[in-house]
């Protein structure tokens, strides 16, 4: 009898030790919805499955590196322009909603912001302000979501700041240089380097301006840029019947930041294409401030004030500058048929800039 008791206790101790050695899974991001179209959408969330500790001496493993994986569920057969509610993982935190893209002419709102890296308190303030002053069906991120996309420690901070916004608005990101072309970005966003979609009668085109991280090989970088540029032109040409054509990328073609002027000739070289195919507005990030230009009927907005340290706007380009302000910001776009009202706002709700767009057919 005593032997049986000892064996039972030993088994109990072993089972406790086994349970404790198992990694405890934890949801550290989401739910959020990506790749929303008229009839399909993908709900995602991020799971921390464990962590590894590392250090420079055996008894000082001070740095913890979380192991993350993205869960995703693609839904098809949805109805256009319809609000859907879902329960992803269990509990209140797993609930969310999104609206599918409407077909035909529709009125809708989207928000553009970017460069949410580095100052997490500012990132939170910008998200809180979007929730307070706007009600977008979807958000466009102009890139540099986190300071280093290879670092799994940063993504839970990003998703925590974005939580309340992303559980109610679809998410469309552009690739920034701080994404480092990382597999984490593509896995967590279920994203392609460049893509396009329609929302109502408007067409949205997102390109990867971060060619320096595409490859270590100049030949491969050039090949990527040629391929993407061909795709961009074909995409814009095929969207000529849209009421609006909007383009998004991280690196801007022009800037009021003197030390950065002329940095992105590959983007500046796209301006004639934007003009030829009647792009109403192109949105960028990378510069941590707000800038608005109008050049040959195309509006250019730089909204990179989502958290990264602010840059001066010391040398606004002559003749095309409408507004340049060194401030945190986000941009609210209300599309109503063939008109679009654009308002850039500070996190405190103050208006930075207002623009009215009317799509000009080329
Ligand atoms: Fe950047």
């Amino acid at each position: 009898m005593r032997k049986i008791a000892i064996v039972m206790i030993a088994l109990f101790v072993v089972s406790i030790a086994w349970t404790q050695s198992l990694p405890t899974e934890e949801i550290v991001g989401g739910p959020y919805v990506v790749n929303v179209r008229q009839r399909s959408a993908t709900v995602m969330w991020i799971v921390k499955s464990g962590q590894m500790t590392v250090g420079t001496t055996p008894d000082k493993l001070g740095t913890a590196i979380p192991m993350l994986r993205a869960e995703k569920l693609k839904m098809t057969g949805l109805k256009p322009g319809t609000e859907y509610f879902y329960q992803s993982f269990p509990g209140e935190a797993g609930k969310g909603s999104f609206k599918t893209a409407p077909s035909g002419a529709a009125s809708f709102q989207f928000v553009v912001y970017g460069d949410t890296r580095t100052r997490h308190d500012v990132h939170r303030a910008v998200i809180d302000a979007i929730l307070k002053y706007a009600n977008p069906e979807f958000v466009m991120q102009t890139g540099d979501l986190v300071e280093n996309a290879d670092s799994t420690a940063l993504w839970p901070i990003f998703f925590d700041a974005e939580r309340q916004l992303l559980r109610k608005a679809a998410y469309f990101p552009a690739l920034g240089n701080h994404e480092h072309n990382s597999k984490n970005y593509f896995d967590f966003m279920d994203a392609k380097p460049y893509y396009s979609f329609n929302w109502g009668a408007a067409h949205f085109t997102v390109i990867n301006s971060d060619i320096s991280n595409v490859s270590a090989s100049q030949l491969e970088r050039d090949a990527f840029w040629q391929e993407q540029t061909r795709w961009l032109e074909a995409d814009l040409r095929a969207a000529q019947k849209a009421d609006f054509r909007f383009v998004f990328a991280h690196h801007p073609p022009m800037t009021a930041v003197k030390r950065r002027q002329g940095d992105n000739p590959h983007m500046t070289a796209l301006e004639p294409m934007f003009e030829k195919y009647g792009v109403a507005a192109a949105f960028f990030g990378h510069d941590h401030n707000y800038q608005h230009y109008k050049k040959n009927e195309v509006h250019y907005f730089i909204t990179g004030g989502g958290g990264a340290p602010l840059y001066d706007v010391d040398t606004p380009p002559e003749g095309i500058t409408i507004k340049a302000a060194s401030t945190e910001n986000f941009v609210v776009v209300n599309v109503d048929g063939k008109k679009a009202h654009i308002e850039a706002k500070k996190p405190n709700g103050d208006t930075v800039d207002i623009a009215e767009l009317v799509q000009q057919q080329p």
Side-chain angles (χ1 to χ4, degrees):
M1 189 68 189
R2 198 174 160 209
K3 271 189 182 171
I4 292 173
I6 289 169
V7 169
M8 294 275 287
I9 289 167
L11 281 174
F12 180 69
V13 170
V14 166
S15 72
I16 294 269
W18 171 247
T19 305
Q20 287 180 343
S21 70
L22 283 174
T24 307
E25 296 211 327
E26 185 188 348
I27 310 280
V28 293
Y32 54 101
V33 188
V34 295
N35 295 324
V36 179
R37 302 290 188 268
Q38 288 180 13
R39 298 186 182 278
S40 61
T42 300
V43 175
M44 300 190 72
W45 59 97
I46 303 294
V47 178
K48 177 183 169 188
S49 57
Q51 67 178 23
M52 190 186 82
T53 51
V54 64
T56 52
T57 56
D59 55 344
K60 272 193 179 175
L61 305 182
T63 304
I65 303 171
M67 297 154 63
L68 305 182
R69 72 164 191 272
E71 297 285 2
K72 64 177 177 180
L73 192 77
K74 181 173 181 178
M75 295 168 286
T76 57
L78 305 177
K79 290 181 185 165
T82 304
E83 190 169 19
Y84 285 89
F85 298 85
Y86 63 85
Q87 175 88 51
S88 52
F89 49 85
E92 187 62 29
K95 291 180 178 172
S97 65
F98 66 93
K99 191 174 174 186
T100 48
S103 59
S107 298
F108 60 90
Q109 183 189 92
F110 65 96
V111 161
V112 194
Y113 68 122
D115 295 81
T116 46
R117 67 178 177 87
T118 310
R119 293 187 301 167
H120 306 308
D121 55 334
V122 178
H123 181 191
R124 286 177 189 282
V126 170
I127 299 302
D128 288 348
I130 293 171
L131 289 164
K132 185 174 178 182
Y133 299 110
N135 187 24
E137 291 183 9
F138 60 95
V139 288
M140 305 294 304
Q141 229 287 4
T142 55
D144 283 1
L145 286 65
V146 294
E147 188 157 347
N148 175 3
D150 290 318
S151 169
T152 50
L154 295 175
W155 286 98
I157 300 169
F158 168 84
F159 280 111
D160 190 52
E162 299 262 338
R163 185 180 304 278
Q164 297 305 332
L165 177 61
L166 295 197
R167 66 193 293 190
K168 58 176 278 195
Y171 199 63
F172 294 95
L175 191 69
N177 52 308
H178 282 264
E179 270 65 71
H180 295 175
N181 214 31
S182 168
K183 185 174 181 297
N184 287 338
Y185 169 84
F186 295 105
D187 285 353
F188 298 165
M189 295 296 136
D190 197 32
K192 293 186 166 61
Y194 50 91
Y195 60 94
S196 65
F197 62 95
N198 294 317
W199 203 278
H203 185 72
F204 295 77
T205 308
V206 181
I207 61 169
N208 173 15
S209 60
D210 186 34
I211 41 175
S212 62
N213 279 312
V214 163
S215 169
S217 150
Q218 180 73 46
L219 267 179
E220 287 183 10
R221 290 198 296 272
D222 291 347
F224 169 81
W225 190 251
Q226 284 169 17
E227 178 188 303
Q228 181 178 244
T229 304
R230 273 198 300 272
W231 174 87
L232 172 65
E233 180 158 23
D235 184 77
L236 293 175
R237 188 190 297 126
Q240 290 301 289
K241 287 186 178 161
D243 282 346
F244 283 104
R245 283 162 293 284
F246 297 118
V247 171
F248 301 81
H250 184 63
H251 298 77
M254 69 281 281
T255 179
V257 183
K258 189 174 191 326
R259 64 187 167 80
R260 295 187 137 200
Q261 288 179 336
D263 274 3
N264 306 309
H266 62 306
M267 295 303 294
T268 308
L270 293 178
E271 289 175 8
M273 191 191 293
F274 297 159
E275 294 165 15
K276 179 179 178 184
Y277 294 102
V279 171
F283 297 84
F284 307 90
H286 198 48
D287 287 347
H288 310 149
N289 45 42
Y290 175 79
Q291 301 170 52
H292 175 195
Y293 305 101
K294 190 176 181 190
K295 187 175 178 185
N296 298 333
E297 298 307 314
V298 180
H299 287 264
Y300 295 85
F301 296 92
I302 300 173
T303 171
L310 291 178
Y311 293 161
D312 284 341
V313 283
D314 43 8
T315 313
E318 278 181 31
I320 60 170
T321 302
I322 293 175
K323 184 81 181 181
S326 183
T327 177
E328 293 86 5
N329 69 88
F330 57 98
V331 175
V332 184
V333 184
N334 283 290
V335 175
D336 183 11
K338 295 183 190 304
K339 293 182 179 173
H341 176 83
I342 298 185
E343 184 169 358
K345 294 178 90 64
K346 294 183 183 182
N348 68 3
D350 287 353
T351 298
V352 182
D353 184 31
I354 286 178
E356 306 287 347
L357 303 190
V358 179
Q359 176 71 67
Q360 309 279 333
Q361 294 305 325

